[in-house]
Amino acid sequence: MAFILPSESIDGSPTCNGLHMNGQDSLVQPLLTDFYQITMCYAYWKTGTHNEPAVFDVFFRKNPFHGEFTVFAGLEDCLRFVENFKFSQSDIEYVKKILPENAEPEFYEYLETLDGSHLTIEAVREGSVVFPKVPLITIYGPLAMCQLLETSFLNLVNYASLVATNAARFRQASGAKLSLLEFGLRRAQGPNGGLTASKYCYIGGFDGTSNVLAGKLFGIPLKLRSLNHKETAETMDLFQASIEKRGWLLDQMAWGVVQSEVSDGELTAFVAYAIAFPDSFLALIDTYDVLRSGVVNFVAVSLALHDFGYRSMGSGRTIRTAKDKAESGCDEDHDSRQEEVLSNLWKKRIRDSRFDDESKRALVNASKIIKLHNVYWKDGVLSTPLPTLNEIKEHPSPESWT
């Protein structure tokens, strides 16, 4: 199971894991669906077809990003949703308000009885490369119950697969040696979107995240601190070293700025980039304030890198001219430095994976395909153990999960 923490109670409140309850996002519940799913359920119940056996397939029609493959993700979230599926009393009371007044009371009694015990779910293993119109998940069960899962399953699979696929494309383009770090939380689609993105970037091939809660909940490495010394190979904390250098700078020099004015988030981003490119570190220093934050953080990280045996690409001229450039808001050297970074990346053999050659990105070995689906849910319980995030990421054979 990707979720690594047991449930815990805080001050006598219901047990939970951060934003999660019982290993599942607390927002993923039966009412996280479209209204018409509930009206269709009522129609099935009204006509007596609600318990008719049905088969629902989850699939997609086109690969994202005009690509040639998709990485399937979100399966565990779907299974946790089924495992905890139950309408609460407040859910029933709300459904009574939104359905017509003449809806029969017995229908609400029926909703109270629903759970996942009569479903069987087969699926492609999470993290697999998949293609359009091939079923990813197949759900067998009573018609009305399958209908109520549709919107939630699509929500849980679509975004997760999109993020995992995008991460895999970055990995394919950058090759195996470069370190890829995700730190998009501040611009993510809310807290849940941020956690989802961190989790599925890791499945798609990224090496770590800046998202501390994702690290706690899912065990994803927080690889935004450590860097090996260039000569001794000793692992050192670049983030802490940069913090210390920044404090020293503010104490020793009259920057005209106090500690609280300098952006910690910017420093975190600089450190993450420096870890990825220690020999070619440079930074865009005008994200917040050039003189009151950007230059201070840039110099701090550069000094820390120097102690680790590396040399920043930023020169003394860059620092001296920062003040002169601040008022005009331009930097004539910016484009040339960006070209230099791209040139260095090119020299690091990124050219081995051509960005426009989509057909080579789907690395599928047919001899490893044993069967398309495994049965993950049957008779109200998980029937196949779920792999860990690392097992999904490393694409082991299904036999190694059991």
Side-chain angles (χ1 to χ4, degrees):
M1 183 178 75
F3 197 86
I4 63 173
L5 296 178
S7 297
E8 59 182 343
S9 177
I10 302 175
D11 298 330
S13 59
T15 57
C16 64
N17 290 297
L19 294 179
H20 291 60
M21 299 179 68
N22 301 318
Q24 174 62 52
D25 191 323
S26 58
L27 287 178
V28 183
Q29 50 187 281
L31 291 189
L32 186 68
T33 189
D34 294 308
F35 180 47
Y36 82 88
Q37 305 287 19
I38 296 176
T39 59
M40 290 181 69
C41 179
Y42 180 72
Y44 295 145
W45 180 85
K46 185 72 172 176
T47 58
T49 59
H50 55 291
N51 284 324
E52 289 292 317
V55 180
F56 278 45
D57 286 329
V58 176
F59 67 96
F60 61 97
R61 295 183 177 87
K62 292 182 180 179
N63 289 310
F65 313 112
H66 305 287
E68 296 297 331
F69 73 96
T70 297
V71 176
F72 170 51
L75 174 61
E76 181 182 2
D77 294 333
C78 291
L79 295 173
R80 295 303 175 199
F81 172 53
V82 172
E83 184 177 39
N84 297 305
F85 188 97
K86 194 71 177 176
F87 282 98
S88 69
Q89 191 57 47
S90 63
D91 291 340
I92 299 298
E93 293 302 319
Y94 182 71
V95 173
K96 290 179 180 180
K97 294 178 181 179
I98 60 177
L99 284 181
E101 293 182 359
N102 60 351
E104 298 182 29
E106 290 78 9
F107 173 67
Y108 305 115
E109 297 175 5
Y110 161 71
L111 289 182
E112 290 179 350
T113 67
L114 292 179
D115 57 32
S117 61
H118 299 294
L119 298 172
T120 297
I121 299 175
E122 298 179 356
V124 176
R125 66 185 179 93
E126 191 161 6
S128 297
V129 173
V130 292
F131 303 96
K133 301 181 181 179
V134 175
L136 309 176
I137 304 175
T138 300
I139 309 161
Y140 305 86
L143 175 59
M145 184 63 191
C146 291
Q147 189 72 58
L148 289 173
L149 298 179
E150 179 186 29
T151 296
S152 301
F153 268 46
L154 291 174
N155 176 272
L156 293 170
V157 169
N158 282 339
Y159 183 63
S161 298
L162 184 75
V163 171
T165 302
N166 198 32
R169 288 165 61 90
F170 272 89
R171 174 53 68 195
Q172 291 283 340
S174 63
K177 294 184 178 180
L178 284 183
S179 179
L180 293 179
L181 307 172
E182 177 273 320
F183 49 100
L185 178 60
R186 68 188 63 186
R187 294 186 177 180
Q189 290 78 10
N192 301 79
L195 280 173
T196 300
S198 298
K199 177 180 179 180
Y200 292 110
C201 274
Y202 186 65
I203 284 181
F206 274 50
D207 298 293
T209 179
S210 68
N211 188 336
V212 179
L213 185 57
K216 175 189 175 185
L217 296 180
F218 306 122
I220 301 173
L222 298 175
K223 291 193 173 183
L224 300 182
R225 300 180 66 104
S226 300
L227 179 66
N228 293 335
H229 193 283
K230 189 173 184 178
E231 297 178 358
T232 66
E234 179 185 359
T235 300
M236 305 171 72
D237 191 330
L238 181 62
F239 182 79
Q240 184 59 38
S242 299
I243 288 286
E244 294 172 359
K245 290 295 183 184
R246 189 175 69 178
W248 177 83
L249 285 170
L250 294 175
D251 289 339
Q252 298 296 319
M253 301 180 185
W255 288 91
V257 60
V258 297
Q259 177 77 38
S260 60
E261 294 180 271
V262 186
S263 171
D264 290 334
E266 183 179 55
L267 181 70
T268 302
F270 285 1
V271 169
Y273 192 82
I275 290 173
F277 302 102
D279 283 312
S280 57
F281 171 67
L282 56 85
L284 186 64
I285 59 176
D286 63 351
T287 302
Y288 295 96
D289 187 292
V290 173
L291 298 181
R292 307 184 77 82
S293 183
V295 172
V296 180
N297 283 328
F298 174 76
V299 174
V301 176
S302 296
L303 290 174
L305 277 174
H306 183 270
D307 289 350
F308 283 40
Y310 300 94
R311 182 177 179 181
S312 166
M313 286 184 67
S315 65
R317 178 175 180 274
T318 304
I319 303 304
R320 287 196 304 272
T321 58
K323 184 174 182 180
D324 300 330
K325 303 288 185 180
E327 293 183 359
S328 63
C330 64
D331 185 350
E332 62 192 25
D333 295 328
H334 175 72
D335 289 340
S336 63
R337 292 203 302 271
Q338 292 298 320
E339 290 175 5
E340 189 169 358
V341 171
L342 292 175
S343 176
N344 287 337
L345 289 176
W346 184 264
K347 291 175 183 177
K348 292 184 183 213
R349 301 184 67 82
I350 283 185
R351 61 183 180 276
D352 290 345
S353 294
R354 293 188 59 192
F355 286 84
D356 58 349
D357 191 355
E358 298 288 349
S359 63
K360 295 181 180 179
R361 286 180 172 158
L363 305 180
V364 181
N365 186 342
S367 65
K368 293 183 180 179
I369 298 178
I370 301 172
K371 58 183 179 180
L372 186 60
H373 289 84
N374 291 315
V375 177
Y376 285 96
W377 182 269
K378 191 172 183 179
D379 299 328
V381 296
L382 286 171
S383 55
T384 298
L386 293 174
T388 66
L389 281 189
N390 285 327
E391 288 171 335
I392 294 171
K393 184 179 179 182
E394 294 168 5
H395 301 290
S397 62
E399 285 78 2
S400 66
W401 299 350
T402 57

